[in-house]
Amino acid sequence: MANDPRLIQSRLPLQPDFIRLAAGLSEQAGEAFGLGRGEAMRLCLAAEEVFAHLCQSLGPGARVELDLSGHYYYVRLRLRFTRSEVDFRLLNLAAGFSPDRPEDLERLGLLLASRAVDRFSLRALGQDQMELVLDKHKAYPPPQTPPPPVSPLSQAVITDPGPAEIKELARLIAAHYPPTAFPADFGLPGKLADMALSGDYALLASQDPGQAPGGGVIWRRDAKAIQLFGPYLFEQPDHAAQGEALVEACLARVAKSGARGVVCRFATPDLPRDGFELLGDLQLRQPDGRQEHWPHYYRQLEEDPGAWVWCHPELRGFLEEQYQNLFLPRGIRELSPAGETRAEHSVLSADLNRARSQATLALVWDGRDLTANLRSHLAALREEGILNIFLNLDLGSPWQAGLLPEIAAAGFRPRLLLPALGQGDLVVFQETAD
Amino acid sequence: MRAPDLDRLTPEFVRRFEPYMPSQPDPELMKLYRIGHLHRLNNNENPLGPPPLAQEVIRRFPPPRAGIYPSGDSWYLRQALARRFGLDPDQFLVGNGANEVISFAIKAFCQEGDNIITADRTFAVYEWVANFSGFEARLAPLKDFGFDDEALLRLIDRRSKIIFICNPNNPTGTWWDRERLERFLARVDGQQIVVLDEAYREFVDRPEFPDGIQMLNRHPNLLVFRTFSKIYALAGLRVGYLAGSPEVVDAIRRTCVVYSVNILAQEAALAALADDADHLAATRALVAREKAYLLEELAALGLTVQNGEGCFLMIRLPLSDTMAYRRLLQQGVMIRSMTGFRFPNWIRVSIGSHLAMEAFIAALRGILPSRS
């Protein structure tokens, strides 16, 4: 790690004098790691705003670990700092935001920072540290050449595609599937090749020597789950068999990865439904007002060991129905607030995906202002044009499970259960307009 | 007090590794699944239990002896094994289950940069121990559900130290006959240690099936692993052993943990060895009878089966194996899901009592999608 040429580590005093250093370092590292000039400048702006905020919150004497890492298709700025001295509210995406006072936006450094980058997240590291992560993606040109002609494979063999085949796959996916069937990034040949190079994504192709791929499957490893995309088949008469072979080969690759399950949010008709469980549908609002179904498929990779989960009494009915439908063995322990002492202010993390007009909130720290804080986030995100806002609740974490009434009061409703993908099972809530 | 800096303290290969989480104890699972009875068909345990003499030894074990250290190197058990197989006691090492002797061998022969070779879909512990010890595990794909000798040989380089062959293979039950094993050993030509894991060999009743221990004199690079956990039904006491040439065993002895096999385990294993003739025959008969019953029922259900030697068989399901695990367990039947063996949508079921086999078939019938 210490010798990784794609990692720059620094430890800086949190003083205004160093803001320019942090910003300049981010800009130059961004360019060195492959960002274009414009993208590097935006990363620089994000670093400047975040650093200034931390200086204001933590004051002189404090330090921040500022790391920049190159991941081929994006550059990551990561800041670690001591939590106990921070006014947590300033770390909320919507801290201090009032929809009635647009001028407040000017003071929202973190909001500016979040606008300058593609992804933004905040999490607690143990008892006394926080980590703020900002990712700036490299810009890639759309496909410059038409997709190669495809024909039925005489003998489909599953292979690990090289960079050239990956770029062909990207062009083929974009040409043969509607944009809703794949993340927008997959349609950019150079980006998909870099995503594989980074190790974040992996691909398998169904191929015949000397021919264009007949199909492919793509996956990425998240904290505890594999995200599977596809399988994508291009005019193959035996598409179902090739799809099944691709998915089985993928499962064999990830079987011993330690991931607990495979989630498929971009399933094609060739995903072998036999081997997956339908967790349910989310409703996605589109800019033109339409609603789209968004099915979520899932399968475990390991035998479910059974578990006890925490829940508020008002969530019990939803959970029992989910557990019954999924045949999941769970003991439910109820808990609800009983007047115990709480912090004044809550902290939420927000993971934004502007391309899909989605944001996912997660609870970082409990506080008495939770409902108001959630509403502020909703207002800020709507202001940003984000149409679909989700919240993940971890049932393995008792303090989170008890917060249901406040989450519901902010307009969130439980929609899906993702088994064992947090400390315990995760419930996905969706903000509803009603 | 500061929290330890685990990033600095933990080697990188350990940080990359995910911990293995064994399933919860039966009473906890039964509580969660709300079941009153559990048929354990997941670990290839012998439903007959240990041989009668071993049961007697366990029953009569005097509690005060639990306060006394056992023989540090299972001295009497090694003597008995030597008598049984006509070898020297120093050609045996006993461990806390076969898993421990796998660790002994890897520790003895591998150093940084070395690799071990085995199949991609076999007993997971060879690959697992190599990985968490920081060594590369090179995996040759199975061919027609069996170990592929040519593919294994192609993976050898100058840093290859051990080749693990599971014969018969868990979970597919495929096996190499004597001639094929001899050919393979000739090709390896003593350049690597070849481990022949014979955890299930006592279930096999075929003349052409090789007896690794009989081949040791001709092949000094051969190591044979056996266990008291399977046909001898002492899984709960954890006793396994290896046999090899005196020189190879002497090398492994330097890395092996002494006193790891407890006193009751050593005495029960001794007794099991002394009283196994009827027990082995009865177990083989039960496995043959119940396998035939299962095969007939599974054929009637239209399911694809992989059946070989050993006290188990594999079944391909038209649903996720991990979901099948949950749904069967809800009906009191615990099987092994096979995704972790890189066989997605397959399950492995151990051969158990007839009652357990009937319960399994009834539960399986209940979870299969109806055929139109």
Side-chain angles (χ1 to χ4, degrees), chain A residues 248 277 299-300 303 326, chain B residues 316 321 326 337 339 345:
Chain A
E248 290 212 353
E277 304 162 40
R299 64 160 288 143
Q300 290 183 317
E303 292 166 359
L326 295 169
Chain B
R316 189 184 168 104
D321 54 320
R326 304 195 308 267
S337 68
T339 296
N345 300 341

Side-chain angles (χ1 to χ4, degrees), chain A residues 164-410:
Chain A
E165 285 94 1
I166 291 173
K167 291 200 289 183
E168 276 187 337
L169 270 174
R171 303 205 311 268
L172 287 163
I173 290 170
H176 288 262
Y177 283 89
T180 50
F182 57 92
D185 292 341
F186 290 5
L188 301 170
K191 188 162 194 176
L192 189 59
D194 276 357
M195 287 157 85
L197 187 62
S198 74
D200 292 348
Y201 289 78
L203 297 91
L204 285 172
S206 181
Q207 222 158 353
D208 213 352
Q211 275 188 270
V217 66
I218 303 172
W219 70 94
R220 70 162 287 148
R221 170 76 191 265
D222 286 339
K224 289 185 176 170
I226 303 294
Q227 304 270 356
L228 184 142
F229 306 89
Y232 303 103
L233 277 307
F234 317 121
E235 293 175 26
Q236 297 300 307
D238 60 343
H239 52 93
Q242 282 194 47
E244 187 175 351
L246 282 164
V247 171
E248 290 212 353
C250 162
L251 292 175
R253 288 283 177 99
V254 301
K256 291 181 194 280
S257 64
R260 292 180 178 176
V262 177
V263 178
C264 187
R265 295 181 169 109
F266 288 90
T268 61
D270 290 313
L271 179 79
R273 302 295 198 268
D274 286 353
F276 285 79
E277 304 162 40
L278 178 64
L279 294 175
D281 271 326
L282 293 176
Q283 301 293 320
L284 278 187
R285 298 181 193 118
Q286 302 300 307
D288 60 7
R290 282 182 304 112
Q291 297 258 346
E292 264 188 16
H293 289 286
W294 188 21
H296 283 53
Y297 295 93
Y298 176 78
R299 64 160 288 143
Q300 290 183 317
L301 289 171
E302 299 172 347
E303 292 166 359
D304 191 285
W308 289 88
V309 297
W310 295 95
C311 94
H312 188 279
E314 289 172 24
L315 193 62
R316 188 179 190 108
F318 171 82
L319 286 184
E320 284 180 343
E321 187 185 335
Q322 295 289 314
Y323 289 143
Q324 191 176 346
N325 290 344
L326 295 169
F327 306 96
L328 279 170
R330 296 291 185 267
I332 295 179
R333 300 166 76 179
E334 288 189 358
L335 84 174
S336 49
E340 64 270 40
T341 303
R342 294 170 73 185
E344 190 177 351
H345 299 294
S346 57
V347 181
L348 303 171
S349 73
D351 194 345
L352 267 68
N353 186 330
R354 288 185 208 294
R356 291 177 58 79
S357 195
Q358 286 175 19
T360 302
L361 304 177
L363 303 159
V364 176
W365 198 256
D366 181 27
R368 291 198 299 274
D369 68 346
L370 179 63
T371 302
N373 193 7
L374 283 166
R375 286 183 176 141
S376 297
H377 274 76
L378 291 175
L381 290 165
R382 285 191 198 115
E383 187 75 15
E384 287 281 299
I386 301 292
L387 295 172
N388 300 288
I389 305 167
F390 305 100
L391 182 144
N392 290 339
L393 185 80
D394 192 335
L395 301 181
S397 178
W399 70 267
Q400 290 195 24
L403 300 175
L404 179 87
E406 289 160 277
I407 293 167

Side-chain angles (χ1 to χ4, degrees), chain B residues 184-243:
Chain B
F184 182 80
L185 288 166
R187 298 274 297 277
V188 173
D189 194 23
Q191 296 302 299
Q192 281 77 32
I193 298 293
V194 175
V195 168
L196 197 62
D197 184 342
E198 297 186 334
Y200 295 94
R201 86 153 326 271
E202 295 93 347
F203 291 94
V204 188
D205 196 12
R206 288 173 177 271
E208 65 274 35
F209 192 89
D211 180 336
I213 291 183
Q214 301 273 319
M215 298 167 70
L216 288 174
N217 289 340
R218 293 193 309 285
H219 300 284
N221 64 325
L222 183 63
L223 263 184
V224 177
F225 289 2
R226 291 194 184 172
T227 180
F228 283 94
S229 297
K230 300 303 175 189
I231 208 162
Y232 288 103
L234 294 175
L237 297 181
R238 314 299 298 125
V239 202
Y241 61 95
L242 62 79

